[in-house]
Amino acid sequence: MAEIRLEHVSKRWGAFVGVDDFNLTIADREFLVLLGPSGCGKTTTMRMIAGLEDATDGKIHIGDRVVNDLDPKDRDVAMVFQSYGLYPNMNVYENIRFPLKVRKVPESEHDARVMRASAMVELDEFLHRKPAELSGGQRQRVALARAIVREPTVFLMDEPLSNLDAKLRVSTRAQIKNLQHELKVTTIYVTHDQIEAMTLADRVVVMNKGVVQQVGTPTDIYDNPANTFVASFIGSPAMNLMSGTMSGGVFTGDNVSIAGFDAPDGPITLGYRAEDATVAEAGQGQITAPIYTLELLGDATMIAVKAGGALVSVKAHKEFRAEIGDMVSINIPSSICHLFDAESGARIG
């Protein structure tokens, strides 16, 4: 049983608060992603679970043990870092084997466990090579195998794909997801990349400035962001956010007017996703503005215009053709819109 519980966990350095009153239960075998920008507290949270940082307040449970006072080696967790941390003088086989030697696992078990871990990340043909002879993707797979070979209770992964190029990130991401499914080990994964979070996680924890903003499945967070921070952080592109005024159920702002809301009058922030809107006949949409830019994506054309005090976009058909400066109308029915408090940013509808 590798359920993890964080109860009122905080980390402070003097007056600076790195993590503030973090409460969460991570289920046995769950793949949980901590997501947020640099400095949001996600890596600090992981390091407290690992024992590399001491929690200022609160309790950390792994299984049925409170682990606050346990050394990292006694918490039965395996970490995979952004920097691979391989030993340059050892070949791949010995790098993978090293944790078994340190933990004094009987030598008779070493070969079978190394070969099993190697096979899971497709490294068998590279076992004789030194790290300097490997590509970035291969080195990251060695780091994964070194974590797998320990057969830990918990995997902790701190931005393991950030040093890889785009193509390798996609393939290694798939490998990590499949590994977690096969190994059935509770996994906590830290990233600032919302695509990684959306594709890997059973649940996502979105953090900002040390505070949890929202916890939920990728679909929950994408479809119902709790506030404007989450809305602007999740999605590619992020949710479009426009400032305006609600009056009599009609939202108005620069170049935009959308009717059909049941919301109180006053200043408000309206959000919508580019793929939910459509290009309308001239003058028939809720936004009418000159095209600011066009991006051909292959499967679609992304059109950006200025409206509601922001640069907002709509995903059009791949065959859509126009020029920068041409007028375009965008259809944004009220049913696809999200409403947020103009001051706090909290979701109101």
Side-chain angles (χ1 to χ4, degrees), residues 239-265:
M239 183 178 287
N240 298 293
L241 296 171
M242 298 183 290
S243 298
T245 302
M246 190 69 71
S247 179
V250 180
F251 172 86
T252 55
D254 297 339
N255 298 328
V256 56
S257 177
I258 307 173
F261 294 103
D262 179 14
D265 291 353

PDB file of all heavy atoms in Angstrom, residues 239-265:
ATOM      1  N   MET A 239      -6.752  29.159 -22.500  1.00  0.00           N
ATOM      2  CA  MET A 239      -8.070  29.763 -22.653  1.00  0.00           C
ATOM      3  C   MET A 239      -7.941  31.256 -22.935  1.00  0.00           C
ATOM      4  O   MET A 239      -7.118  31.950 -22.336  1.00  0.00           O
ATOM      5  CB  MET A 239      -8.896  29.547 -21.380  1.00  0.00           C
ATOM      6  CG  MET A 239     -10.320  30.084 -21.480  1.00  0.00           C
ATOM      7  SD  MET A 239     -11.319  29.768 -20.008  1.00  0.00           S
ATOM      8  CE  MET A 239     -11.612  28.008 -20.161  1.00  0.00           C
ATOM      9  N   ASN A 240      -8.730  31.742 -23.876  1.00  0.00           N
ATOM     10  CA  ASN A 240      -8.810  33.177 -24.140  1.00  0.00           C
ATOM     11  C   ASN A 240      -9.556  33.865 -23.004  1.00  0.00           C
ATOM     12  O   ASN A 240     -10.629  33.411 -22.602  1.00  0.00           O
ATOM     13  CB  ASN A 240      -9.564  33.437 -25.457  1.00  0.00           C
ATOM     14  CG  ASN A 240      -8.862  32.834 -26.652  1.00  0.00           C
ATOM     15  OD1 ASN A 240      -7.778  33.256 -27.020  1.00  0.00           O
ATOM     16  ND2 ASN A 240      -9.481  31.831 -27.263  1.00  0.00           N
ATOM     17  N   LEU A 241      -9.003  34.953 -22.480  1.00  0.00           N
ATOM     18  CA  LEU A 241      -9.628  35.695 -21.383  1.00  0.00           C
ATOM     19  C   LEU A 241      -9.814  37.149 -21.795  1.00  0.00           C
ATOM     20  O   LEU A 241      -8.840  37.805 -22.199  1.00  0.00           O
ATOM     21  CB  LEU A 241      -8.765  35.617 -20.121  1.00  0.00           C
ATOM     22  CG  LEU A 241      -8.588  34.221 -19.515  1.00  0.00           C
ATOM     23  CD1 LEU A 241      -7.550  34.248 -18.408  1.00  0.00           C
ATOM     24  CD2 LEU A 241      -9.921  33.670 -18.991  1.00  0.00           C
ATOM     25  N   MET A 242     -11.044  37.647 -21.701  1.00  0.00           N
ATOM     26  CA  MET A 242     -11.356  39.017 -22.100  1.00  0.00           C
ATOM     27  C   MET A 242     -11.964  39.775 -20.930  1.00  0.00           C
ATOM     28  O   MET A 242     -12.789  39.234 -20.184  1.00  0.00           O
ATOM     29  CB  MET A 242     -12.345  39.024 -23.281  1.00  0.00           C
ATOM     30  CG  MET A 242     -11.816  38.353 -24.533  1.00  0.00           C
ATOM     31  SD  MET A 242     -12.976  38.452 -25.926  1.00  0.00           S
ATOM     32  CE  MET A 242     -14.278  37.347 -25.371  1.00  0.00           C
ATOM     33  N   SER A 243     -11.597  41.031 -20.797  1.00  0.00           N
ATOM     34  CA  SER A 243     -12.171  41.902 -19.772  1.00  0.00           C
ATOM     35  C   SER A 243     -13.352  42.660 -20.362  1.00  0.00           C
ATOM     36  O   SER A 243     -13.328  43.071 -21.527  1.00  0.00           O
ATOM     37  CB  SER A 243     -11.130  42.906 -19.280  1.00  0.00           C
ATOM     38  OG  SER A 243     -10.040  42.228 -18.691  1.00  0.00           O
ATOM     39  N   GLY A 244     -14.391  42.837 -19.550  1.00  0.00           N
ATOM     40  CA  GLY A 244     -15.556  43.579 -20.020  1.00  0.00           C
ATOM     41  C   GLY A 244     -16.536  43.818 -18.904  1.00  0.00           C
ATOM     42  O   GLY A 244     -16.217  43.670 -17.717  1.00  0.00           O
ATOM     43  N   THR A 245     -17.749  44.144 -19.290  1.00  0.00           N
ATOM     44  CA  THR A 245     -18.797  44.463 -18.325  1.00  0.00           C
ATOM     45  C   THR A 245     -20.034  43.637 -18.631  1.00  0.00           C
ATOM     46  O   THR A 245     -20.427  43.497 -19.802  1.00  0.00           O
ATOM     47  CB  THR A 245     -19.155  45.952 -18.394  1.00  0.00           C
ATOM     48  OG1 THR A 245     -17.976  46.724 -18.143  1.00  0.00           O
ATOM     49  CG2 THR A 245     -20.215  46.317 -17.367  1.00  0.00           C
ATOM     50  N   MET A 246     -20.660  43.108 -17.594  1.00  0.00           N
ATOM     51  CA  MET A 246     -21.917  42.392 -17.741  1.00  0.00           C
ATOM     52  C   MET A 246     -23.056  43.342 -17.388  1.00  0.00           C
ATOM     53  O   MET A 246     -23.025  43.998 -16.338  1.00  0.00           O
ATOM     54  CB  MET A 246     -21.951  41.174 -16.815  1.00  0.00           C
ATOM     55  CG  MET A 246     -23.120  40.236 -17.061  1.00  0.00           C
ATOM     56  SD  MET A 246     -23.016  39.346 -18.652  1.00  0.00           S
ATOM     57  CE  MET A 246     -21.656  38.221 -18.314  1.00  0.00           C
ATOM     58  N   SER A 247     -24.059  43.449 -18.264  1.00  0.00           N
ATOM     59  CA  SER A 247     -25.213  44.303 -18.014  1.00  0.00           C
ATOM     60  C   SER A 247     -26.438  43.670 -18.658  1.00  0.00           C
ATOM     61  O   SER A 247     -26.475  43.481 -19.885  1.00  0.00           O
ATOM     62  CB  SER A 247     -24.983  45.705 -18.586  1.00  0.00           C
ATOM     63  OG  SER A 247     -26.117  46.522 -18.368  1.00  0.00           O
ATOM     64  N   GLY A 248     -27.412  43.313 -17.814  1.00  0.00           N
ATOM     65  CA  GLY A 248     -28.641  42.711 -18.332  1.00  0.00           C
ATOM     66  C   GLY A 248     -28.408  41.416 -19.078  1.00  0.00           C
ATOM     67  O   GLY A 248     -29.123  41.118 -20.042  1.00  0.00           O
ATOM     68  N   GLY A 249     -27.418  40.650 -18.647  1.00  0.00           N
ATOM     69  CA  GLY A 249     -27.135  39.373 -19.301  1.00  0.00           C
ATOM     70  C   GLY A 249     -26.316  39.481 -20.565  1.00  0.00           C
ATOM     71  O   GLY A 249     -26.147  38.487 -21.279  1.00  0.00           O
ATOM     72  N   VAL A 250     -25.786  40.679 -20.856  1.00  0.00           N
ATOM     73  CA  VAL A 250     -24.968  40.882 -22.059  1.00  0.00           C
ATOM     74  C   VAL A 250     -23.552  41.293 -21.632  1.00  0.00           C
ATOM     75  O   VAL A 250     -23.371  42.245 -20.862  1.00  0.00           O
ATOM     76  CB  VAL A 250     -25.573  41.961 -22.984  1.00  0.00           C
ATOM     77  CG1 VAL A 250     -24.692  42.152 -24.221  1.00  0.00           C
ATOM     78  CG2 VAL A 250     -26.993  41.574 -23.381  1.00  0.00           C
ATOM     79  N   PHE A 251     -22.575  40.561 -22.136  1.00  0.00           N
ATOM     80  CA  PHE A 251     -21.169  40.901 -21.884  1.00  0.00           C
ATOM     81  C   PHE A 251     -20.676  41.792 -23.018  1.00  0.00           C
ATOM     82  O   PHE A 251     -20.813  41.452 -24.192  1.00  0.00           O
ATOM     83  CB  PHE A 251     -20.320  39.620 -21.830  1.00  0.00           C
ATOM     84  CG  PHE A 251     -18.828  39.870 -21.771  1.00  0.00           C
ATOM     85  CD1 PHE A 251     -18.195  40.093 -20.559  1.00  0.00           C
ATOM     86  CD2 PHE A 251     -18.067  39.891 -22.934  1.00  0.00           C
ATOM     87  CE1 PHE A 251     -16.823  40.317 -20.511  1.00  0.00           C
ATOM     88  CE2 PHE A 251     -16.698  40.116 -22.891  1.00  0.00           C
ATOM     89  CZ  PHE A 251     -16.074  40.339 -21.670  1.00  0.00           C
ATOM     90  N   THR A 252     -20.079  42.933 -22.673  1.00  0.00           N
ATOM     91  CA  THR A 252     -19.526  43.824 -23.697  1.00  0.00           C
ATOM     92  C   THR A 252     -18.102  44.216 -23.323  1.00  0.00           C
ATOM     93  O   THR A 252     -17.759  44.376 -22.145  1.00  0.00           O
ATOM     94  CB  THR A 252     -20.370  45.104 -23.854  1.00  0.00           C
ATOM     95  OG1 THR A 252     -20.497  45.743 -22.582  1.00  0.00           O
ATOM     96  CG2 THR A 252     -21.745  44.785 -24.400  1.00  0.00           C
ATOM     97  N   GLY A 253     -17.281  44.357 -24.355  1.00  0.00           N
ATOM     98  CA  GLY A 253     -15.899  44.805 -24.217  1.00  0.00           C
ATOM     99  C   GLY A 253     -15.427  45.302 -25.559  1.00  0.00           C
ATOM    100  O   GLY A 253     -16.215  45.390 -26.521  1.00  0.00           O
ATOM    101  N   ASP A 254     -14.151  45.616 -25.667  1.00  0.00           N
ATOM    102  CA  ASP A 254     -13.618  46.090 -26.945  1.00  0.00           C
ATOM    103  C   ASP A 254     -13.850  45.048 -28.028  1.00  0.00           C
ATOM    104  O   ASP A 254     -13.380  43.902 -27.923  1.00  0.00           O
ATOM    105  CB  ASP A 254     -12.109  46.357 -26.825  1.00  0.00           C
ATOM    106  CG  ASP A 254     -11.794  47.461 -25.836  1.00  0.00           C
ATOM    107  OD1 ASP A 254     -12.689  48.273 -25.547  1.00  0.00           O
ATOM    108  OD2 ASP A 254     -10.648  47.491 -25.335  1.00  0.00           O
ATOM    109  N   ASN A 255     -14.568  45.428 -29.097  1.00  0.00           N
ATOM    110  CA  ASN A 255     -14.820  44.576 -30.273  1.00  0.00           C
ATOM    111  C   ASN A 255     -15.640  43.326 -29.970  1.00  0.00           C
ATOM    112  O   ASN A 255     -15.677  42.398 -30.776  1.00  0.00           O
ATOM    113  CB  ASN A 255     -13.503  44.137 -30.943  1.00  0.00           C
ATOM    114  CG  ASN A 255     -12.704  45.293 -31.472  1.00  0.00           C
ATOM    115  OD1 ASN A 255     -13.269  46.304 -31.898  1.00  0.00           O
ATOM    116  ND2 ASN A 255     -11.385  45.167 -31.449  1.00  0.00           N
ATOM    117  N   VAL A 256     -16.301  43.243 -28.793  1.00  0.00           N
ATOM    118  CA  VAL A 256     -17.016  42.021 -28.438  1.00  0.00           C
ATOM    119  C   VAL A 256     -18.322  42.350 -27.732  1.00  0.00           C
ATOM    120  O   VAL A 256     -18.398  43.257 -26.907  1.00  0.00           O
ATOM    121  CB  VAL A 256     -16.140  41.100 -27.550  1.00  0.00           C
ATOM    122  CG1 VAL A 256     -15.655  41.810 -26.302  1.00  0.00           C
ATOM    123  CG2 VAL A 256     -16.889  39.820 -27.173  1.00  0.00           C
ATOM    124  N   SER A 257     -19.373  41.576 -28.083  1.00  0.00           N
ATOM    125  CA  SER A 257     -20.659  41.664 -27.393  1.00  0.00           C
ATOM    126  C   SER A 257     -21.310  40.288 -27.459  1.00  0.00           C
ATOM    127  O   SER A 257     -21.559  39.758 -28.548  1.00  0.00           O
ATOM    128  CB  SER A 257     -21.559  42.705 -28.066  1.00  0.00           C
ATOM    129  OG  SER A 257     -22.824  42.743 -27.432  1.00  0.00           O
ATOM    130  N   ILE A 258     -21.552  39.703 -26.265  1.00  0.00           N
ATOM    131  CA  ILE A 258     -22.115  38.349 -26.193  1.00  0.00           C
ATOM    132  C   ILE A 258     -23.318  38.377 -25.261  1.00  0.00           C
ATOM    133  O   ILE A 258     -23.201  38.767 -24.094  1.00  0.00           O
ATOM    134  CB  ILE A 258     -21.079  37.331 -25.669  1.00  0.00           C
ATOM    135  CG1 ILE A 258     -19.785  37.401 -26.498  1.00  0.00           C
ATOM    136  CG2 ILE A 258     -21.640  35.909 -25.706  1.00  0.00           C
ATOM    137  CD1 ILE A 258     -18.654  36.541 -25.935  1.00  0.00           C
ATOM    138  N   ALA A 259     -24.484  37.937 -25.767  1.00  0.00           N
ATOM    139  CA  ALA A 259     -25.713  37.928 -24.972  1.00  0.00           C
ATOM    140  C   ALA A 259     -26.021  36.518 -24.479  1.00  0.00           C
ATOM    141  O   ALA A 259     -25.438  35.535 -24.939  1.00  0.00           O
ATOM    142  CB  ALA A 259     -26.867  38.454 -25.823  1.00  0.00           C
ATOM    143  N   GLY A 260     -26.956  36.455 -23.514  1.00  0.00           N
ATOM    144  CA  GLY A 260     -27.477  35.159 -23.096  1.00  0.00           C
ATOM    145  C   GLY A 260     -26.957  34.649 -21.771  1.00  0.00           C
ATOM    146  O   GLY A 260     -27.036  33.451 -21.490  1.00  0.00           O
ATOM    147  N   PHE A 261     -26.461  35.546 -20.915  1.00  0.00           N
ATOM    148  CA  PHE A 261     -25.924  35.106 -19.629  1.00  0.00           C
ATOM    149  C   PHE A 261     -26.905  35.356 -18.492  1.00  0.00           C
ATOM    150  O   PHE A 261     -27.694  36.298 -18.527  1.00  0.00           O
ATOM    151  CB  PHE A 261     -24.615  35.854 -19.315  1.00  0.00           C
ATOM    152  CG  PHE A 261     -23.485  35.525 -20.253  1.00  0.00           C
ATOM    153  CD1 PHE A 261     -23.126  36.412 -21.268  1.00  0.00           C
ATOM    154  CD2 PHE A 261     -22.797  34.334 -20.128  1.00  0.00           C
ATOM    155  CE1 PHE A 261     -22.097  36.102 -22.136  1.00  0.00           C
ATOM    156  CE2 PHE A 261     -21.760  34.019 -20.991  1.00  0.00           C
ATOM    157  CZ  PHE A 261     -21.410  34.912 -21.995  1.00  0.00           C
ATOM    158  N   ASP A 262     -26.806  34.506 -17.470  1.00  0.00           N
ATOM    159  CA  ASP A 262     -27.503  34.730 -16.211  1.00  0.00           C
ATOM    160  C   ASP A 262     -26.424  35.033 -15.177  1.00  0.00           C
ATOM    161  O   ASP A 262     -25.943  34.143 -14.468  1.00  0.00           O
ATOM    162  CB  ASP A 262     -28.308  33.487 -15.821  1.00  0.00           C
ATOM    163  CG  ASP A 262     -29.036  33.678 -14.500  1.00  0.00           C
ATOM    164  OD1 ASP A 262     -29.127  34.831 -14.044  1.00  0.00           O
ATOM    165  OD2 ASP A 262     -29.493  32.666 -13.928  1.00  0.00           O
ATOM    166  N   ALA A 263     -26.020  36.292 -15.134  1.00  0.00           N
ATOM    167  CA  ALA A 263     -24.900  36.686 -14.279  1.00  0.00           C
ATOM    168  C   ALA A 263     -25.138  38.101 -13.769  1.00  0.00           C
ATOM    169  O   ALA A 263     -25.807  38.905 -14.419  1.00  0.00           O
ATOM    170  CB  ALA A 263     -23.588  36.617 -15.070  1.00  0.00           C
ATOM    171  N   PRO A 264     -24.584  38.428 -12.595  1.00  0.00           N
ATOM    172  CA  PRO A 264     -24.788  39.768 -12.048  1.00  0.00           C
ATOM    173  C   PRO A 264     -24.111  40.843 -12.879  1.00  0.00           C
ATOM    174  O   PRO A 264     -23.108  40.591 -13.558  1.00  0.00           O
ATOM    175  CB  PRO A 264     -24.150  39.671 -10.654  1.00  0.00           C
ATOM    176  CG  PRO A 264     -23.184  38.532 -10.742  1.00  0.00           C
ATOM    177  CD  PRO A 264     -23.765  37.569 -11.715  1.00  0.00           C
ATOM    178  N   ASP A 265     -24.676  42.049 -12.852  1.00  0.00           N
ATOM    179  CA  ASP A 265     -24.085  43.168 -13.571  1.00  0.00           C
ATOM    180  C   ASP A 265     -22.768  43.589 -12.922  1.00  0.00           C
ATOM    181  O   ASP A 265     -22.564  43.430 -11.716  1.00  0.00           O
ATOM    182  CB  ASP A 265     -25.043  44.369 -13.578  1.00  0.00           C
ATOM    183  CG  ASP A 265     -26.283  44.125 -14.421  1.00  0.00           C
ATOM    184  OD1 ASP A 265     -26.330  43.082 -15.104  1.00  0.00           O
ATOM    185  OD2 ASP A 265     -27.208  44.965 -14.382  1.00  0.00           O
TER     186      ASP A 265
END
